[in-house]
Amino acid sequence: MVDFVRAHGGGVVATNSGGGCPESAWVNLAALGDGRLVFGTNERSRKYANLLADPQVSLVLVSGAGQEFQLEGEAAVLEGSAAQDAGEVLESRHPGATGKPSTRLVAVRPTWARFVDVAAEPPVREELAL
């Protein structure tokens, strides 16, 4: 999963809006050494407000060639040195991703994952033990 994120660099994150309708957005992702995924978000965004109210998220990461990861996990807003370290990783993968003062860094620790490869014969569908 970490290698997949490092190779493809982005995905769709879905958060709970609290109003019965999920909110989804494309995010640039980087993988941290401990397996968490990190992205930046504007502190005035719906996504950020949703994460503060409910840290449970889902993500879909695609290769564009028939492979994808579906993930569920818990998000945490990073502070201090943890935010600085994660920001360096994200910035190295996506220059400019952390340049605005209103950007907050969020790390997601996956709790469930499924890998799908429809380009393989036969197609692969496997759940990962996390």
Side-chain angles (χ1 to χ4, degrees):
M1 179 176 57
V2 167
D3 290 340
F4 191 90
V5 170
R6 288 180 177 154
H8 302 290
V12 175
V13 62
T15 58
N16 180 1
S17 70
C21 188
E23 191 264 333
S24 300
W26 177 266
V27 293
N28 290 322
L29 292 166
L32 302 178
D34 62 4
R36 290 179 300 158
L37 308 180
V38 66
F39 63 89
T41 186
N42 186 303
E43 64 187 11
R44 293 181 297 275
S45 71
R46 292 186 309 160
K47 179 183 341 86
Y48 184 70
N50 293 347
L51 291 170
L52 292 178
D54 181 352
Q56 299 303 310
V57 299
S58 62
L59 293 117
V60 176
L61 321 172
V62 298
S63 69
Q67 299 82 28
E68 71 177 44
F69 270 97
Q70 302 164 11
L71 308 167
E72 293 174 355
E74 187 164 331
V77 177
L78 301 175
E79 303 288 346
S81 63
Q84 183 175 344
D85 293 347
E88 289 173 6
V89 173
L90 184 61
E91 189 68 25
S92 72
R93 180 67 173 101
H94 303 282
T98 62
K100 296 179 183 169
S102 60
T103 298
R104 299 301 302 267
L105 294 171
V106 177
V108 176
R109 183 171 304 284
T111 56
W112 173 86
R114 174 181 294 140
F115 175 72
V116 176
D117 184 350
V118 297
E121 189 55 48
V124 174
R125 288 176 182 79
E126 64 180 76
E127 291 195 25
L128 286 74
L130 303 175

